[in-house]
């Protein structure tokens, strides 16, 4: 497999040539996956989802990484832009969420994104603590970004509070992908004209809103909402939109650490593109562009705000 197919997790992934019993030749993907991912893929396969690769693991009990075989979708292809593709993606995701909504008791192996998860892990150990540690250890980073830290913690804590409330509310809890990147990311595969959602290594029992914020803008989210209703979920659009807004900071937080690593030793003008986007999302609750490789005009705008010291002053009242 090529490096871009392997991803960044560091787990073993291989494309293996196989011969079927009838003599036909083909290939499958073998991945060394954690138990929760093996069981999530087994559940999705058993549910008949044709927008996730069929998967099988001979070991669905051992709580450590073991091999899982998956349908080979070929090289990752970026999906075509436009409303037709977005509606197909919304349909696929809504079916996964709806069929597993409020069914946590059927998935005891799936970790819960509860208050402790949001407050003690995601917004601290996984994100803001890394930012603070880098500021302490790297004088260049501290000089460039140290002023953001107090507001960064404040906004992260607001997000954690809101997500903990959604967990307590229970109405949106389902099997989530948890790492659904933007359209130019690698987790929604374009295969034979259909979207295939891959790599459930970060799956949790969590509010489905976290799977929407990186992929759908405001208008596109309506397509997902309509598909959710079509799958029998009862939810007013006003409630849906309010909770979606509360989840917007999710992408900024989970991709903050990779963005810090991308910045490395700077300078920001060359290596800070993703970091400025993540800071904008966390500090303001805005999501300027849902693209990993976002536009140069937006980068120029964020760089100007950063250099003038106004990026952290642009935050909205929560």
């Amino acid at each position: 497999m090529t490096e871009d197919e392997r991803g960044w997790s560091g787990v073993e992934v291989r494309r293996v040539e196989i011969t079927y019993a009838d003599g036909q030749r083909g290939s499958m993907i073998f991945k060394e996956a954690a138990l929760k991912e093996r069981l999530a893929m087994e559940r999705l396969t058993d549910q008949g989802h044709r927008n996730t690769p069929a998967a099988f693991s001979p070991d669905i009990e051992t709580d450590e990484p073991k091999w899982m075989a998956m349908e080979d979708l070929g090289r990752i292809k970026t999906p075509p832009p436009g409303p037709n593709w977005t509606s197909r993606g919304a349909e696929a995701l809504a079916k996964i969420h709806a069929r597993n909504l409020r069914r946590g008791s059927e998935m005891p192996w799936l970790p819960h994104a509860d208050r402790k998860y949001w407050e003690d892990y995601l917004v601290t150990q996984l994100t803001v603590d890394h930012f603070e540690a880098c500021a302490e250890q790297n004088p260049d980073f501290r000089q460039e970004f140290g002023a953001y830290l107090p507001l960064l913690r404040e906004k992260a804590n607001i997000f954690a509070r809101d997500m903990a409330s959604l967990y307590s509310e229970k109405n949106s809890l389902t099997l989530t992908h948890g790492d659904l990147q933007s359209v130019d990311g690698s987790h929604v595969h374009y295969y034979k004209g259909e979207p295939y959602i891959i790599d459930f290594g970060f799956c949790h029992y969590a509010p489905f809103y976290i799977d929407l914020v990186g992929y759908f803008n405001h208008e596109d989210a309506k397509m997902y909402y309509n598909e959710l209703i079509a799958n029998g979920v009862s939810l007013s659009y006003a409630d849906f939109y309010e909770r979606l807004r509360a989840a917007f900071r999710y992408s900024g937080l989970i991709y903050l650490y990779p963005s810090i690593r991308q910045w490395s030793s700077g300078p920001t003008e060359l290596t800070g593109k993703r970091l400025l986007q993540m800071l904008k999302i966390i500090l303001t609750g805005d999501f300027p562009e849902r693209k990993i490789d976002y536009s140069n005009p937006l980068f120029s705008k964020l760089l100007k705000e950063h250099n003038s010291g106004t990026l952290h002053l642009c935050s909205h009242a929560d």
Side-chain angles (χ1 to χ4, degrees), residues 271-298:
T271 61
K273 189 172 184 179
R274 197 177 190 196
L275 179 56
L276 292 186
Q277 166 88 319
M278 298 307 111
L279 287 171
K280 179 75 171 181
I281 294 169
I282 299 169
L283 298 180
T284 70
D286 282 341
F287 210 134
E289 289 183 12
R290 280 161 178 78
K291 293 169 58 181
I292 293 175
D293 187 18
Y294 63 92
S295 69
N296 289 328
L298 175 57

Side-chain angles (χ1 to χ4, degrees), residues 104-126:
S105 61
E106 299 176 8
M107 300 175 282
W109 40 266
L110 187 61
H112 285 224
D114 54 13
R115 180 177 296 275
K116 183 177 178 62
Y117 172 79
W118 296 115
E119 295 182 352
D120 297 343
Y121 178 65
L122 189 132
V123 304
T124 52
Q125 298 178 45
L126 191 63

Side-chain angles (χ1 to χ4, degrees), residues 28-29 41-42 44-46 49-56 68-73 196-197:
M28 295 189 75
I29 300 298
M41 294 306 300
E42 180 190 64
L44 295 170
T45 300
D46 288 346
H49 292 287
R50 284 307 305 151
N51 295 105
T52 57
F56 168 78
M68 171 177 64
M70 293 185 294
E71 179 182 6
D72 187 0
L73 305 178
Y196 276 72
I197 302 170

Side-chain angles (χ1 to χ4, degrees), residues 19 21 52 77 91 95 124 145 149 172 194 213 229 242 255 269 311:
T19 302
T52 57
K77 300 181 181 67
E91 179 183 9
K95 284 181 178 178
T124 52
F145 298 103
L149 184 58
S172 61
E194 296 292 337
V213 292
I229 300 303
E242 178 187 5
Y255 300 130
E269 289 80 1
L311 177 57

